[in-house]
Amino acid sequence: MIIHPIEPLCCDKSRILILGSFPSVKSRESGFFYGHPQNRFWRVMARICGCETPTSIDEKKRMILDNGFALWDVIHSCEITGSADSTIKNVKPNDLSVILDSAPIERIFVNGRKAEALYKKYIENEVGITAKALPSTSPANAAWSEDRLFEYWQNELNNISKKL
């Protein structure tokens, strides 16, 4: 059983929560979200936020928080082989009240289909907020180019941002 090693990232300006499934091996090693250099999350979010791609953890935190986002994952602990979502079993979900009680979250998105399935199974009824699935930024999602991911994510996140 592996316990999620990364604290949730949010502040009192966070209105949009983005949830992954569980940190990859590289993310667990680096101690921060989306730590694999081939994961397109930081490049896509930087383009959406209109800034340079952050490189340090502090820069990544600042970009997310300054733009009204929050980050965490669906899973608190699980058994997983390497970084493959397909091997996840014996899931214990994270308690999202840690974020929802401290930030004015108005919308939740999940990064990929596994995060969506886990959210629906373990969290959605508990929090009463339906999450919108976004295509995974993982390098394993080779069917989506970075440009295509950016266009989809930008459309979804900007549509929500304008309504909030």
mmCIF file of all heavy atoms in Angstrom, residues 41-61:
data_model
loop_
_atom_site.group_PDB
_atom_site.id
_atom_site.type_symbol
_atom_site.label_atom_id
_atom_site.label_comp_id
_atom_site.label_asym_id
_atom_site.label_seq_id
_atom_site.Cartn_x
_atom_site.Cartn_y
_atom_site.Cartn_z
ATOM 1 N N PHE A 41 1.020 18.307 -18.504
ATOM 2 C CA PHE A 41 0.189 19.152 -17.642
ATOM 3 C C PHE A 41 0.738 20.569 -17.489
ATOM 4 O O PHE A 41 0.012 21.549 -17.691
ATOM 5 C CB PHE A 41 0.024 18.505 -16.255
ATOM 6 C CG PHE A 41 -0.813 19.326 -15.323
ATOM 7 C CD1 PHE A 41 -2.194 19.255 -15.376
ATOM 8 C CD2 PHE A 41 -0.229 20.200 -14.411
ATOM 9 C CE1 PHE A 41 -2.985 20.033 -14.530
ATOM 10 C CE2 PHE A 41 -1.011 20.978 -13.563
ATOM 11 C CZ PHE A 41 -2.394 20.894 -13.626
ATOM 12 N N TRP A 42 2.003 20.700 -17.116
ATOM 13 C CA TRP A 42 2.548 22.038 -16.830
ATOM 14 C C TRP A 42 2.638 22.899 -18.080
ATOM 15 O O TRP A 42 2.395 24.106 -18.027
ATOM 16 C CB TRP A 42 3.900 21.930 -16.114
ATOM 17 C CG TRP A 42 3.708 21.307 -14.768
ATOM 18 C CD1 TRP A 42 4.132 20.072 -14.354
ATOM 19 C CD2 TRP A 42 2.976 21.864 -13.669
ATOM 20 N NE1 TRP A 42 3.700 19.836 -13.070
ATOM 21 C CE2 TRP A 42 2.997 20.923 -12.621
ATOM 22 C CE3 TRP A 42 2.317 23.066 -13.465
ATOM 23 C CZ2 TRP A 42 2.380 21.144 -11.390
ATOM 24 C CZ3 TRP A 42 1.696 23.301 -12.239
ATOM 25 C CH2 TRP A 42 1.730 22.342 -11.222
ATOM 26 N N ARG A 43 2.955 22.287 -19.224
ATOM 27 C CA ARG A 43 3.019 23.060 -20.457
ATOM 28 C C ARG A 43 1.620 23.517 -20.885
ATOM 29 O O ARG A 43 1.428 24.663 -21.298
ATOM 30 C CB ARG A 43 3.695 22.243 -21.559
ATOM 31 C CG ARG A 43 5.164 21.951 -21.252
ATOM 32 C CD ARG A 43 5.904 21.290 -22.400
ATOM 33 N NE ARG A 43 5.360 20.028 -22.843
ATOM 34 C CZ ARG A 43 5.638 18.831 -22.303
ATOM 35 N NH1 ARG A 43 6.461 18.746 -21.272
ATOM 36 N NH2 ARG A 43 5.113 17.724 -22.785
ATOM 37 N N VAL A 44 0.629 22.632 -20.758
ATOM 38 C CA VAL A 44 -0.749 22.982 -21.119
ATOM 39 C C VAL A 44 -1.279 24.073 -20.197
ATOM 40 O O VAL A 44 -1.844 25.077 -20.653
ATOM 41 C CB VAL A 44 -1.653 21.722 -21.089
ATOM 42 C CG1 VAL A 44 -3.126 22.101 -21.139
ATOM 43 C CG2 VAL A 44 -1.299 20.781 -22.236
ATOM 44 N N MET A 45 -1.091 23.918 -18.901
ATOM 45 C CA MET A 45 -1.593 24.920 -17.953
ATOM 46 C C MET A 45 -0.891 26.269 -18.130
ATOM 47 O O MET A 45 -1.524 27.323 -18.008
ATOM 48 C CB MET A 45 -1.440 24.419 -16.516
ATOM 49 C CG MET A 45 -2.408 23.310 -16.150
ATOM 50 S SD MET A 45 -4.162 23.738 -16.338
ATOM 51 C CE MET A 45 -4.344 24.976 -15.034
ATOM 52 N N ALA A 46 0.397 26.246 -18.428
ATOM 53 C CA ALA A 46 1.123 27.509 -18.651
ATOM 54 C C ALA A 46 0.536 28.245 -19.851
ATOM 55 O O ALA A 46 0.345 29.469 -19.799
ATOM 56 C CB ALA A 46 2.608 27.242 -18.847
ATOM 57 N N ARG A 47 0.227 27.515 -20.909
ATOM 58 C CA ARG A 47 -0.373 28.153 -22.086
ATOM 59 C C ARG A 47 -1.747 28.721 -21.738
ATOM 60 O O ARG A 47 -2.089 29.832 -22.156
ATOM 61 C CB ARG A 47 -0.470 27.160 -23.242
ATOM 62 C CG ARG A 47 0.889 26.854 -23.863
ATOM 63 C CD ARG A 47 0.816 25.747 -24.896
ATOM 64 N NE ARG A 47 0.096 26.153 -26.096
ATOM 65 C CZ ARG A 47 -0.171 25.327 -27.111
ATOM 66 N NH1 ARG A 47 0.224 24.060 -27.062
ATOM 67 N NH2 ARG A 47 -0.833 25.761 -28.163
ATOM 68 N N ILE A 48 -2.527 27.990 -20.969
ATOM 69 C CA ILE A 48 -3.853 28.467 -20.565
ATOM 70 C C ILE A 48 -3.729 29.717 -19.701
ATOM 71 O O ILE A 48 -4.494 30.667 -19.858
ATOM 72 C CB ILE A 48 -4.622 27.355 -19.815
ATOM 73 C CG1 ILE A 48 -5.008 26.246 -20.805
ATOM 74 C CG2 ILE A 48 -5.854 27.911 -19.106
ATOM 75 C CD1 ILE A 48 -5.513 24.974 -20.149
ATOM 76 N N CYS A 49 -2.752 29.718 -18.816
ATOM 77 C CA CYS A 49 -2.547 30.851 -17.903
ATOM 78 C C CYS A 49 -1.792 32.007 -18.545
ATOM 79 O O CYS A 49 -1.641 33.071 -17.943
ATOM 80 C CB CYS A 49 -1.801 30.379 -16.646
ATOM 81 S SG CYS A 49 -2.747 29.199 -15.649
ATOM 82 N N GLY A 50 -1.286 31.794 -19.762
ATOM 83 C CA GLY A 50 -0.576 32.852 -20.484
ATOM 84 C C GLY A 50 0.776 33.186 -19.900
ATOM 85 O O GLY A 50 1.161 34.349 -19.842
ATOM 86 N N CYS A 51 1.490 32.157 -19.455
ATOM 87 C CA CYS A 51 2.810 32.400 -18.877
ATOM 88 C C CYS A 51 3.810 31.350 -19.348
ATOM 89 O O CYS A 51 3.446 30.394 -20.030
ATOM 90 C CB CYS A 51 2.721 32.423 -17.352
ATOM 91 S SG CYS A 51 2.170 30.888 -16.606
ATOM 92 N N GLU A 52 5.062 31.568 -18.990
ATOM 93 C CA GLU A 52 6.113 30.602 -19.308
ATOM 94 C C GLU A 52 5.867 29.316 -18.519
ATOM 95 O O GLU A 52 5.307 29.362 -17.414
ATOM 96 C CB GLU A 52 7.484 31.164 -18.937
ATOM 97 C CG GLU A 52 7.915 32.355 -19.766
ATOM 98 C CD GLU A 52 8.170 31.979 -21.209
ATOM 99 O OE1 GLU A 52 8.799 30.938 -21.467
ATOM 100 O OE2 GLU A 52 7.714 32.729 -22.096
ATOM 101 N N THR A 53 6.304 28.193 -19.070
ATOM 102 C CA THR A 53 6.163 26.924 -18.363
ATOM 103 C C THR A 53 7.025 26.956 -17.109
ATOM 104 O O THR A 53 8.233 27.184 -17.185
ATOM 105 C CB THR A 53 6.585 25.744 -19.259
ATOM 106 O OG1 THR A 53 5.764 25.747 -20.429
ATOM 107 C CG2 THR A 53 6.415 24.418 -18.529
ATOM 108 N N PRO A 54 6.411 26.752 -15.954
ATOM 109 C CA PRO A 54 7.189 26.783 -14.709
ATOM 110 C C PRO A 54 8.114 25.569 -14.611
ATOM 111 O O PRO A 54 7.786 24.490 -15.111
ATOM 112 C CB PRO A 54 6.116 26.742 -13.622
ATOM 113 C CG PRO A 54 4.945 26.082 -14.262
ATOM 114 C CD PRO A 54 5.006 26.447 -15.716
ATOM 115 N N THR A 55 9.243 25.766 -13.972
ATOM 116 C CA THR A 55 10.184 24.663 -13.824
ATOM 117 C C THR A 55 10.349 24.230 -12.372
ATOM 118 O O THR A 55 10.432 23.047 -12.085
ATOM 119 C CB THR A 55 11.561 25.017 -14.417
ATOM 120 O OG1 THR A 55 12.014 26.238 -13.835
ATOM 121 C CG2 THR A 55 11.470 25.184 -15.931
ATOM 122 N N SER A 56 10.362 25.164 -11.457
ATOM 123 C CA SER A 56 10.525 24.807 -10.046
ATOM 124 C C SER A 56 9.164 24.544 -9.404
ATOM 125 O O SER A 56 8.127 25.003 -9.905
ATOM 126 C CB SER A 56 11.241 25.920 -9.279
ATOM 127 O OG SER A 56 10.380 27.033 -9.114
ATOM 128 N N ILE A 57 9.162 23.848 -8.297
ATOM 129 C CA ILE A 57 7.916 23.604 -7.572
ATOM 130 C C ILE A 57 7.294 24.920 -7.134
ATOM 131 O O ILE A 57 6.074 25.111 -7.259
ATOM 132 C CB ILE A 57 8.160 22.648 -6.380
ATOM 133 C CG1 ILE A 57 8.468 21.244 -6.917
ATOM 134 C CG2 ILE A 57 6.955 22.628 -5.440
ATOM 135 C CD1 ILE A 57 8.855 20.230 -5.853
ATOM 136 N N ASP A 58 8.104 25.852 -6.663
ATOM 137 C CA ASP A 58 7.563 27.156 -6.250
ATOM 138 C C ASP A 58 6.885 27.882 -7.403
ATOM 139 O O ASP A 58 5.819 28.483 -7.234
ATOM 140 C CB ASP A 58 8.653 28.037 -5.645
ATOM 141 C CG ASP A 58 9.019 27.621 -4.228
ATOM 142 O OD1 ASP A 58 8.229 26.886 -3.591
ATOM 143 O OD2 ASP A 58 10.099 28.025 -3.751
ATOM 144 N N GLU A 59 7.487 27.850 -8.597
ATOM 145 C CA GLU A 59 6.890 28.490 -9.768
ATOM 146 C C GLU A 59 5.580 27.805 -10.149
ATOM 147 O O GLU A 59 4.603 28.465 -10.526
ATOM 148 C CB GLU A 59 7.851 28.436 -10.963
ATOM 149 C CG GLU A 59 9.055 29.331 -10.833
ATOM 150 C CD GLU A 59 10.083 29.099 -11.946
ATOM 151 O OE1 GLU A 59 9.980 28.080 -12.677
ATOM 152 O OE2 GLU A 59 10.991 29.929 -12.078
ATOM 153 N N LYS A 60 5.546 26.486 -10.059
ATOM 154 C CA LYS A 60 4.330 25.730 -10.380
ATOM 155 C C LYS A 60 3.215 26.079 -9.405
ATOM 156 O O LYS A 60 2.071 26.323 -9.799
ATOM 157 C CB LYS A 60 4.622 24.223 -10.357
ATOM 158 C CG LYS A 60 5.537 23.787 -11.494
ATOM 159 C CD LYS A 60 5.969 22.341 -11.344
ATOM 160 C CE LYS A 60 6.916 21.973 -12.480
ATOM 161 N NZ LYS A 60 7.415 20.593 -12.376
ATOM 162 N N LYS A 61 3.550 26.119 -8.114
ATOM 163 C CA LYS A 61 2.555 26.482 -7.100
ATOM 164 C C LYS A 61 2.004 27.878 -7.365
ATOM 165 O O LYS A 61 0.789 28.098 -7.322
ATOM 166 C CB LYS A 61 3.179 26.436 -5.700
ATOM 167 C CG LYS A 61 3.423 25.046 -5.175
ATOM 168 C CD LYS A 61 4.056 25.107 -3.788
ATOM 169 C CE LYS A 61 4.266 23.722 -3.215
ATOM 170 N NZ LYS A 61 4.886 23.764 -1.873
#
